[in-house]
Amino acid sequence: MTIQLIFLARLRERFRVSREAFALAPGAATVSTLLDQLRERGGAFAEELAPNRAFRVAVNQDVVTFDHPLKAGDEVAIFPPVTGG
Amino acid sequence: MTIQLIFLARLRERFRVSREAFALAPGAATVSTLLDQLRERGGAFAEELAPNRAFRVAVNQDVVTFDHPLKAGDEVAIFPPVTGG
Amino acid sequence: MQVQDFDVGAEIAALRLGNPAVGAVASFIGCVRDMNEGDSIGLMYLEHYPGMTERELEKIATEAHGRWDIFDTLIIHRVGELRPLDQIVFVAVTSAHRGESFAACEFIMDFLKTKAPFWKREATPQGDRWVDARVSDDAAAARWKQ
Amino acid sequence: MQVQDFDVGAEIAALRLGNPAVGAVASFIGCVRDMNEGDSIGLMYLEHYPGMTERELEKIATEAHGRWDIFDTLIIHRVGELRPLDQIVFVAVTSAHRGESFAACEFIMDFLKTKAPFWKREATPQGDRWVDARVSDDAAAARWKQ
């Protein structure tokens, strides 16, 4: 099952990628299981997505909690707390 | 003892006067004693300056309470509650 | 106080005047409406008390500066004949952060409405009338008392 | 969202658009400051999340319309490179009476600051850095919860 990942602002710079197609591990997927898979990459991913770090996740452009289920084709964006205005 | 009286907005129209030199009765004068003298004119003065009517008094351009003392040369303005802005 | 109209864009630019410490500009424009208390309004006349008006606006601005960490305040109020859609009053406040300029701008408007010696007379189909003071304006001003 | 600057006078005129029921226009401009957290700022870069940004601003405006009796709302937010003194954001709200437009304008700014997907990166003498979210912005947004 493939989703579209988007990284923004500081996370985009740290991960050196702004957008990628990502294959979720088989089984029921949520934002939490996606984050676990990303942390397994180690390095900046493990660091920035550690449970004590402040970041937000939007699925199909709505901010969601980490128990939100994922389905094929979802657009999942991960970004720091916003600082506009 | 003479003061300058100024009437504004609706009161100016009702009294048909915008500014007059006014001779206060001898003795210690306050806004209250001035108002008593004006009410003695009867007509619109008695009506509009009745104790139950809403109006304001400024002495030398500062709004004051009715026990404020008056001295010769004071500029005393009497006007309705303000409605600008 | 002025009879002529004002350009809010130019006024704001002048108030900021190249001050790069300004991060926030809150402003308010009051306009003549074509309806009031259920009657259609054709023309409006704004009277004021020359001399006292300037003093009161100065006092209101000084009070705002004492209460909030703000840079500059601007108050423009028109007098004389106005029509629906015309601008009546303009208040603008600059500060580093937005909370201060919002609060000071609303404070100035609330106090201007209850303290500054302006009176509105409006022309309705039933004839001319002086606008009555709004109880809600007194309530709005009263909130700022500690 | 737009890269180019905006003219607040023209934007307010367009928002009022000859509506004679408008008695009040509250507005706010956010500007780039030359100092932040004690460091001098040369250049600022504003990134956003295209698609989600539009949706969030629409949601914020809809929420304001649901809460207050207002006529129209306008939100302009710039993206890309900006310098000190540049305008970043503009919010304007029209209503019959001033209380509603003031409240809605401040509400929109507070929610925009905490919900809309914009991020600021600023150039300081120590190099570039991403601006951290302010705890005070979360507190400002939290006040609007019933």
Side-chain angles (χ1 to χ4, degrees), chain A residues 4-14 18-19 54 56-64 75-85, chain D residues 30 45-53 55-56 59 77 88-89 109 112-121 130-134 137-138:
Chain A
Q4 276 295 325
L5 270 182
I6 293 176
F7 302 113
L8 290 147
R10 196 173 49 76
L11 295 185
R12 174 177 51 71
E13 288 190 347
R14 288 278 287 148
S18 62
R19 179 180 278 270
R56 307 277 180 270
V57 178
V59 174
N60 301 324
Q61 305 182 351
D62 278 315
V63 170
V64 297
E75 175 179 303
V76 181
I78 306 182
F79 48 78
V82 305
T83 57
Chain D
Y45 177 79
L46 259 150
E47 174 169 335
H48 76 122
Y49 177 8
M52 180 169 165
T53 315
R55 285 166 55 104
E56 285 299 313
K59 274 195 234 171
H77 204 297
I88 305 171
V89 62
M109 273 307 303
L112 191 150
K113 282 269 187 183
T114 51
K115 302 276 190 193
F118 292 101
W119 298 271
K120 286 175 179 162
R121 191 183 65 207
W130 289 93
V131 174
D132 272 333
R134 288 164 57 98
D137 285 333
D138 288 333

Side-chain angles (χ1 to χ4, degrees), chain A residues 8-32:
Chain A
L8 290 147
R10 196 173 49 76
L11 295 185
R12 174 177 51 71
E13 288 190 347
R14 288 278 287 148
F15 300 160
R16 294 167 188 281
V17 57
S18 62
R19 179 180 278 270
E20 65 173 294
F22 186 84
L24 282 169
T30 65
V31 169
S32 261

Side-chain angles (χ1 to χ4, degrees), chain B residues 4-14 18-19 54 56-64 75-85, chain C residues 30 45-53 55-56 59 77 88-89 109 112-121 130-134 137-138:
Chain B
Q4 275 295 324
L5 271 183
I6 293 176
F7 302 112
L8 291 147
R10 197 172 48 77
L11 295 186
R12 173 178 52 72
E13 287 191 347
R14 288 278 286 147
S18 62
R19 179 180 277 269
R56 306 279 181 267
V57 178
V59 174
N60 300 325
Q61 305 183 350
D62 277 316
V63 171
V64 296
E75 175 178 305
V76 180
I78 306 182
F79 47 78
V82 306
T83 57
Chain C
Y45 176 79
L46 259 149
E47 176 170 334
H48 77 121
Y49 177 8
M52 181 171 165
T53 315
R55 285 167 57 103
E56 285 299 313
K59 276 195 234 171
H77 203 298
I88 306 172
V89 61
M109 273 308 302
L112 192 150
K113 282 269 190 184
T114 51
K115 302 275 191 195
F118 292 101
W119 298 272
K120 286 175 179 162
R121 192 184 63 208
W130 289 93
V131 174
D132 273 332
R134 289 164 56 99
D137 285 333
D138 288 332

Side-chain angles (χ1 to χ4, degrees), chain D residues 27-87:
Chain D
S27 68
F28 179 83
I29 309 165
C31 317
V32 182
R33 293 185 300 140
D34 65 346
M35 291 289 287
N36 194 25
E37 313 270 324
D39 293 309
S40 75
I41 305 302
L43 199 69
M44 164 164 288
Y45 177 79
L46 259 150
E47 174 169 335
H48 76 122
Y49 177 8
M52 180 169 165
T53 315
E54 291 82 350
R55 285 166 55 104
E56 285 299 313
L57 296 188
E58 192 63 39
K59 274 195 234 171
I60 291 168
T62 302
E63 174 78 15
H65 276 275
R67 283 174 175 242
W68 289 283
D69 190 8
I70 53 181
F71 292 121
D72 291 293
T73 61
L74 172 68
I75 307 176
I76 299 175
H77 204 297
R78 292 175 72 188
V79 293
E81 274 193 4
L82 298 173
R83 279 159 211 285
L85 289 173
D86 282 352
Q87 304 183 118

Side-chain angles (χ1 to χ4, degrees), chain B residues 10-31:
Chain B
R10 197 172 48 77
L11 295 186
R12 173 178 52 72
E13 287 191 347
R14 288 278 286 147
F15 300 161
R16 295 169 187 279
V17 56
S18 62
R19 179 180 277 269
E20 64 172 297
F22 186 84
L24 281 170
T30 63
V31 169

